[in-house]
Amino acid sequence: MATKDINTADTAHEIRTIDEVVDVIASTAPEIRTGLPGRRVAAEEENPSGETQMAADVFADDLLCERIGALEGVGEYASEERPESIDVGNGSLSVALDPLDGSSNLKPNNTMGTIFAVYDGPLPAHGRDLVAAGYVLYGPVMTMIVARDGTVNEYVVYDDSSYELVREDITLPEEGTVYGFGGRVPDWTDDFEAFAREVEQDASRKLRYGGSMIGDVNQILTYGGIFSYPTLQSAPEGKLRVQFEGYPIGYVIETAGGATSDGTKSLLDVDKDELHARTPLYIGNTDLVTELESALD
Ligand code: F6P
Ligand code: MG
């Protein structure tokens, strides 16, 4: 879990580009949401991780690729939905997205999100190259979390694409009260199952699990506790992708004073050089993530 300082943008040019990326994410979110009703069906292709793509995944990716790719300061764009990163100009920053996280929630009409990561360097990048990260949450209210400059802020995003700061300098509550663990229980490792049973025993904690990582992570950012998509017996690297999910969520949670782990070290220190590589993911209050690491040891 050991973590170093969070990296931040230091040139005026980078700061302006991050502003622009955040503006594009916020201004595109209402269009993504409005475009969902007719796109709750499978697309023809699978994504590079072998998952069925929904028409909405492809729609969100195309919209964001076009707009983020047009920004002068962005040099590369990548997403969960395309096999390779694409060269979009001469800018020094790269943007990696999960355009629609949790899209299996589209049919039952539950929470989903758009996750973004801004790296200072080419893709695939390292967690320590992140200079900003965040996500839009398509909940009853459309909100956007942005981690940059050592701070996590929450905005409400309106249908006219404007957005308003509603919570500043968010930190995880000291006493975590919720937990959520992904993957099929019989597929968990014995050590992880023993840890999960311990967590459940505490009467002050409740299960909160929705099947969209971003919704589940936002529970932790709001109420504190622990979320994981763990190592599975059938999938030692878990399910979530390092560049598009592990690093940006690691950056958000650690900037908010929480802890993250792949089982042994901070998510930001995971070393994987393949664009669609996966990682087990454990995030939450430091005491719980420390206990988790000891349990898996
Ligand atoms: O991005 C992958 C994802 O949709 C996450 O949002 C979510 O946590 C996970 O898959 C759920 O996967 P499954 O339903 O296969 O356990
Ligand atoms: Mg996802």
Side-chain angles (χ1 to χ4, degrees), residues 23-42:
D23 280 348
V24 168
I25 299 284
S27 63
T28 308
E31 268 177 83
I32 292 176
R33 177 132 127 160
T34 314
L36 296 178
R39 295 187 171 84
R40 299 165 75 187
V41 291

Side-chain angles (χ1 to χ4, degrees), residues 51 80 98 100-103 115 213-214 240-241 244-245:
E51 297 160 354
E80 254 187 48
D98 182 351
L100 209 50
D101 175 65
S103 51
I115 308 171
M213 181 197 57
I214 216 58
L240 303 176
R241 267 99 348 174
F244 311 108
E245 295 167 316

Side-chain angles (χ1 to χ4, degrees), residues 116-147:
F116 69 94
V118 184
Y119 296 99
D120 185 3
L123 297 170
H126 193 272
R128 298 291 168 190
D129 296 329
L130 273 168
V131 287
Y135 55 85
V136 170
L137 189 67
Y138 304 100
V141 177
M142 198 159 34
T143 53
M144 178 172 67
I145 293 290
V146 179

Side-chain angles (χ1 to χ4, degrees), residues 53-112:
Q53 278 178 321
M54 302 296 282
D57 289 313
V58 179
F59 171 68
D61 180 43
D62 286 346
L63 267 183
L64 289 164
C65 179
E66 190 187 313
R67 293 175 188 180
I68 288 174
L71 300 176
E72 200 194 315
V74 178
E76 264 187 88
Y77 173 91
S79 89
E80 254 187 48
E81 308 305 333
R82 16 186 113 222
E84 313 284 349
S85 60
I86 52 175
D87 195 340
V88 290
N90 298 321
S92 58
L93 298 183
S94 298
V95 176
L97 297 184
D98 182 351
L100 209 50
D101 175 65
S103 51
S104 69
N105 272 358
L106 197 51
K107 281 190 183 166
N109 191 23
N110 279 301
T111 306
M112 294 178 301

